[in-house]
Amino acid sequence: MSTDNRKKTYIDKAINVFKQEGLRLSLEEVAGKMGITKKTLYNNFTSKEELVKACILSISSDMQEAMSGLDDPAHSAIENLRTGFVKLNHFFYALSPIFFYDIMRMSPNEATAEHLVGSGLFQAKMEANLRKGISEGIYMHSINVEYLSSYISYSVFGFYINSIIKRNPYLPKSHFEDAVEYHLRAIVSERGRELL
């Protein structure tokens, strides 16, 4: 196994441990729960902070992958929006609130930087989706693309992050699907309404 593949395997295992336990564990405890030695982890990561940063970057990459289909040219804008929100729902639901809360509390700089990258990418993908829908004639031509993409970005990320920070136990599993259907009803043209 190559060094990169081995590191990726350790990062994936560490993410699973952090999702269950949060970030409170020592590097030795993390290694034990991963089924490896502390020395093995130190051979691949110089510190717990480096391991956590690698985990945050991996999660950010997964989130970017979840957003990638929002402007897929092979499908309609409506299909892309629905598919993209389903993927985001799976992504955020799999991201443990304990882990997410700990990342925000213990690694605020990395979490904020990756949040800005993720929310910026999402907003750009939303803008592309809205423009695609307008050009397809299935979204209304009067949409203010910049405003609406910003608003939807906030309604997705802002609501989720606020719920996590406040430890809201009532965040429904269907939040993203509900949000996309709500927004679609507001932005589709008459032609687009037939696709709903």
Side-chain angles (χ1 to χ4, degrees):
M1 183 184 299
S2 73
T3 303
D4 288 342
N5 288 342
R6 188 170 40 254
K7 276 187 109 165
K8 175 70 173 135
T9 299
Y10 293 147
I11 290 167
D12 291 343
K13 286 183 177 184
I15 288 171
N16 287 331
V17 170
F18 290 142
K19 282 180 180 179
Q20 297 296 317
E21 306 285 339
L23 297 177
R24 63 178 175 74
L25 301 176
S26 69
L27 198 58
E28 187 170 3
E29 291 170 318
V30 172
K33 292 199 178 276
M34 289 171 57
I36 59 175
T37 65
K38 180 179 174 181
K39 182 180 180 197
T40 299
L41 266 184
Y42 269 121
N43 287 338
N44 292 278
F45 305 96
T46 59
S47 65
K48 180 181 172 186
E49 290 73 26
E50 184 183 339
L51 175 62
V52 169
K53 186 174 182 175
C55 290
I56 292 170
L57 291 173
S58 178
I59 288 167
S60 179
S61 176
D62 291 345
M63 183 174 63
Q64 291 174 28
E65 176 60 32
M67 293 180 220
S68 65
L70 284 169
D71 57 352
D72 183 349
H75 302 287
S76 76
I78 290 173
E79 290 173 288
N80 288 343
L81 199 59
R82 284 178 168 158
T83 301
F85 272 59
V86 166
K87 286 180 180 179
L88 281 169
N89 189 50
H90 291 303
F91 169 79
F92 280 117
Y93 188 70
L95 185 60
S96 160
I98 296 167
F99 181 38
F100 188 79
Y101 182 80
D102 280 356
I103 288 172
M104 295 295 286
R105 188 174 54 83
M106 297 170 78
S107 297
N109 293 337
E110 286 86 6
T112 300
E114 291 308 312
H115 169 74
L116 291 174
V117 168
S119 61
L121 176 63
F122 181 77
Q123 188 167 343
K125 292 287 190 177
M126 275 304 308
E127 284 183 20
N129 179 277
L130 293 170
R131 291 185 201 293
K132 178 176 172 48
I134 291 169
S135 71
E136 292 171 344
I138 58 177
Y139 292 166
M140 292 184 293
H141 287 281
S142 60
I143 292 172
N144 181 328
V145 172
E146 290 78 18
Y147 173 79
L148 188 57
S149 62
S150 178
Y151 174 77
I152 292 173
S153 297
Y154 179 78
S155 73
V156 170
F157 290 98
F159 180 82
Y160 181 80
I161 290 169
N162 189 46
S163 294
I164 295 301
I165 290 170
K166 291 183 177 179
R167 297 183 182 218
N168 180 354
Y170 304 110
L171 181 67
K173 287 184 185 180
S174 63
H175 170 69
F176 295 103
E177 287 97 336
D178 295 345
V180 76
E181 294 305 318
Y182 175 82
H183 291 302
L184 276 172
R185 286 192 301 274
I187 65 173
V188 293
S189 64
E190 286 303 316
R191 184 172 161 224
R193 198 166 308 284
E194 294 170 8
L195 299 175
L196 296 180

